Amino acid sequence: MSTKADIRDTVEDISYDGNLNMAQEQSSRKGFCSVRHGLALILQLCNFSICTQQMNLSIAIPAMVNNTTPHSQPNASTEWPLTGTQDSQNETLKEFKALAPTYSWSPEIQGIILSSLNYGSFLAPIPSGYVAGIFGAKYVVGAGLVISSVLTLFIPLATNAGVALLIVLRIVQGIAQVMVLTGQYSIWVKWAPPLERSQLTTIAISGSLLGSFTVLLVGGLLCQTMGWPYVFYIFGGIGCACCLLWFPLTYDDPANHPFISAGEKRYIMCSLVQKDCSPSWSLPFKAMTKSLPLWAIAVSYFCEYWLFYTILAYTPTYINSVLQANLRDSGILSALPFVAGCICIILGGLLADFLLSRKILRLNTIRKLFTAIGVLFPSGILVSLPWVRYSHSMTMTFLVLSSAISSFCEAGSLVNFFDIAPRYTGFLKGLMQVFAHIAGAISPTVAGFFLSQDSDFGWRNVFLLSAGVNILGLVFYLIFGRADVQDWAKEQTFTHL
């Protein structure tokens, strides 16, 4: 474990003339060819794999569920019927015939299955972030990626065995995925210069939206041509292949990386030497519980992820049921919002770092401005969706705009924990993930309840509730959010814990 003193000693060992600006200029010329940006791209690929494994059930479940047969046993396997109420559904059902079994799951059961990925996830973020912060993220992230990928391969077998086994598998898989999504942030404590923090983290996290785009784009086609089990086989296999890149190419500290140049190593370590980023076993729990800036981030995580998990779980279902699209078209249409989000999340990170490096706006202003943009506009757009449902083009435009603009939150409140307590980054990211996964465990289940009560007004109620929760979180964050290092996260308070 590297300490602040160790970093200073290492910097002195490097042949460095004391001119930090020279190191910055050398690094700037490297651009996206630098090792730190390469690490961001590897993490982008890992996040891509994890998100495809999160989303594959959402795109496959319309193919797995037979909605035309009477209710029977929750996991009863049936044949796809040859007829339906809509021409597009007739075509889809014929294409699915004999490819894979289907099940008579009610909307309530579907909501529970979709939510089950988050039921146990709140147990893992804090330990994952804490362990990754102390020992490094390489093996925490790698182990989570291996477990999640392997379990994805077994989902078709678990589905045939029964709903209960499928839910248990999804709970374990969710815990493994949290290890990846939480542990990776500890890497940036040692690798991300302060003026590049937003862009590096957003490049990495954009893999999640890219994964959503990919699985939605090809998932419906795979279901129709090969059968829904292949959605899990293919994306589980991709995750296993990512592990072969992760372990040999990733290092927790630039000082130990065998391929990094001396100039880039010098730049990274000198930019961080004044930051109090050294992790420790002890945690100031009492001070944390009294910290309103920390609570502001936590509330923001819960509220923003409430909307995110609702959209993540139900976008294919919304397009399939409201727009009456078959599964192939539903997957393609559902992918469009996520590719827009993938592009905008990177642009948002670059813009945030540009505004900060040019001293156009203060960091606190940047965080709050990006959060406000990422909450207010998408909330207004989604509330308007039920009134444009009869226009397919307007519906898709609204969905794309909502996803694109909401991605600005990644350079706002969702990365704010880096600013207020860099030395506790791993633990705090785990803590924030707890709030995110609690929202993820509740929101799809609530959405399923609304939709089972009234199919017409259910979507309106889902969007209204999500927008209301999101705006309440924004108000709390704007009032109490901060971007400066808190007293309890500074070195002088550490000895009193």
Side-chain angles (χ1 to χ4, degrees), residues 42-73:
I42 294 175
L43 276 170
Q44 184 188 57
L45 183 58
C46 293
N47 288 325
F48 168 89
S49 300
I50 289 298
C51 192
T52 58
Q53 294 165 20
Q54 290 178 329
M55 281 290 294
N56 50 21
L57 187 60
S58 295
I59 191 63
I61 202 166
M64 300 168 70
V65 175
N66 177 7
N67 292 314
T68 63
T69 57
H71 288 287
S72 57
Q73 296 298 321

Side-chain angles (χ1 to χ4, degrees), residues 103-149:
Y103 307 96
S104 298
W105 293 338
S106 67
E108 291 92 338
I109 293 177
Q110 294 178 52
I112 292 172
I113 293 173
L114 290 171
S115 298
S116 61
L117 196 68
N118 301 286
Y119 287 161
S121 297
F122 64 89
L123 299 174
I126 292 178
S128 297
Y130 181 73
V131 172
I134 298 298
F135 296 105
K138 178 174 182 176
Y139 293 104
V140 173
V141 174
L145 185 61
V146 170
I147 294 170
S148 178
S149 301

Side-chain angles (χ1 to χ4, degrees), residues 2 10 190-191 251-260 265 269:
S2 298
T10 304
K190 301 288 183 65
W191 278 94
Y251 289 80
D252 290 314
D253 196 316
N256 300 321
H257 201 288
F259 308 124
I260 191 172
K265 183 189 297 185
M269 300 183 74

Side-chain angles (χ1 to χ4, degrees), residues 42 45-46 138 145 239-250:
I42 294 175
L45 183 58
C46 293
K138 178 174 182 176
L145 185 61
C240 292
C242 288
C243 299
L244 301 178
L245 291 175
W246 174 259
F247 287 104
L249 298 180
T250 302

Side-chain angles (χ1 to χ4, degrees), residues 42-338:
I42 294 175
L43 276 170
Q44 184 188 57
L45 183 58
C46 293
N47 288 325
F48 168 89
S49 300
I50 289 298
C51 192
T52 58
Q53 294 165 20
Q54 290 178 329
M55 281 290 294
N56 50 21
L57 187 60
S58 295
I59 191 63
I61 202 166
M64 300 168 70
V65 175
N66 177 7
N67 292 314
T68 63
T69 57
H71 288 287
S72 57
Q73 296 298 321
N75 206 59
S77 177
T78 61
E79 294 290 334
W80 276 94
L82 294 177
T83 60
T85 58
Q86 301 290 336
D87 292 339
S88 62
Q89 290 176 339
N90 290 340
E91 179 183 354
T92 300
L93 296 176
K94 289 178 182 178
E95 290 172 348
F96 274 112
K97 185 181 179 182
L99 286 178
T102 59
Y103 307 96
S104 298
W105 293 338
S106 67
E108 291 92 338
I109 293 177
Q110 294 178 52
I112 292 172
I113 293 173
L114 290 171
S115 298
S116 61
L117 196 68
N118 301 286
Y119 287 161
S121 297
F122 64 89
L123 299 174
I126 292 178
S128 297
Y130 181 73
V131 172
I134 298 298
F135 296 105
K138 178 174 182 176
Y139 293 104
V140 173
V141 174
L145 185 61
V146 170
I147 294 170
S148 178
S149 301
V150 171
L151 290 181
T152 299
L153 300 174
F154 286 95
I155 284 181
L157 290 176
T159 304
N160 286 330
V163 170
L165 182 59
L166 175 61
I167 291 174
V168 170
L169 185 148
R170 294 264 295 171
I171 291 173
V172 176
Q173 188 180 33
I175 294 173
Q177 290 170 357
V178 166
M179 295 169 62
V180 179
L181 298 175
T182 302
Q184 64 180 275
Y185 282 84
S186 297
I187 287 181
W188 299 125
V189 175
K190 301 288 183 65
W191 278 94
L195 296 181
E196 298 180 6
R197 185 174 292 162
S198 295
Q199 63 176 280
L200 290 172
T201 55
T202 52
I203 288 171
I205 203 64
S206 68
S208 297
L209 295 175
L210 183 61
S212 300
F213 164 73
T214 303
V215 72
L216 289 169
L217 183 67
V218 305
L221 182 62
L222 290 173
C223 289
Q224 285 186 298
T225 57
M226 303 175 68
W228 61 260
Y230 283 88
V231 174
F232 303 100
Y233 296 148
I234 290 174
F235 290 111
I238 292 175
C240 292
C242 288
C243 299
L244 301 178
L245 291 175
W246 174 259
F247 287 104
L249 298 180
T250 302
Y251 289 80
D252 290 314
D253 196 316
N256 300 321
H257 201 288
F259 308 124
I260 191 172
S261 67
E264 184 180 1
K265 183 189 297 185
R266 185 164 58 236
Y267 167 59
I268 294 174
M269 300 183 74
C270 289
S271 67
L272 295 174
V273 72
Q274 300 301 324
K275 298 290 182 180
D276 190 15
C277 301
S278 56
S280 177
W281 291 97
S282 300
L283 294 167
F285 289 112
K286 185 176 180 180
M288 286 181 177
T289 58
K290 296 180 179 180
S291 176
L292 285 176
L294 182 58
W295 276 108
I297 300 171
V299 171
S300 184
Y301 257 78
F302 177 86
C303 296
E304 290 169 26
Y305 272 91
W306 178 289
L307 178 60
F308 172 78
Y309 277 110
T310 300
I311 298 301
L312 189 71
Y314 281 100
T315 292
T317 303
Y318 181 80
I319 293 176
N320 181 258
S321 61
V322 173
L323 302 185
Q324 298 296 320
N326 60 34
L327 287 181
R328 179 190 60 197
D329 296 338
S330 175
I332 295 173
L333 294 175
S334 300
L336 295 178
F338 292 98

Side-chain angles (χ1 to χ4, degrees), residues 13 37 41 72 81 127 277 334 378 396 466 479 486:
D13 292 338
H37 283 91
L41 292 176
S72 57
C277 301
S334 300
M396 291 310 307
S466 298
I479 295 173
Q486 299 299 292

